[in-house]
Amino acid sequence: EAKGNMRAKIVEAIRSHGRLSLDQLCDLFGKSPNAISGRLSELKRDGVIVQVGNRVNRNGANEAVYVLAAGV
């Protein structure tokens, strides 16, 4: 799957749900963390998403929760 396509899917998912974590995005798309984490890093770097806190994932570890940046 093309990087740009996954980036667009992530943006739309966050837009629809309000806030999502890596774990939640993996569940939504049926993808591994490796398939999504790089796209999240790119979206953060480009100012499209921002981290707004943390949540405990299914493994009991803290993970970042993201929202769309203002104006996106």
Side-chain angles (χ1 to χ4, degrees), residues 6-66:
M6 181 51 70
R7 285 174 51 126
K9 286 182 176 184
I10 291 169
V11 168
E12 286 309 310
I14 293 173
R15 182 172 283 126
S16 296
H17 292 83
R19 54 178 51 208
L20 288 170
S21 67
L22 174 61
D23 229 23
Q24 292 168 318
L25 287 163
C26 290
D27 288 345
L28 272 176
F29 299 127
K31 300 277 186 186
S32 71
N34 286 344
I36 295 178
S37 62
R39 305 301 73 78
L40 286 175
S41 295
E42 293 166 3
L43 290 166
K44 282 189 302 185
R45 179 198 67 214
D46 295 345
V48 177
I49 62 172
V50 292
Q51 183 178 341
V52 292
N54 294 293
R55 68 182 282 277
V56 177
N57 69 14
R58 68 177 132 244
N59 299 320
N62 279 330
E63 67 173 356
V65 174
Y66 301 98

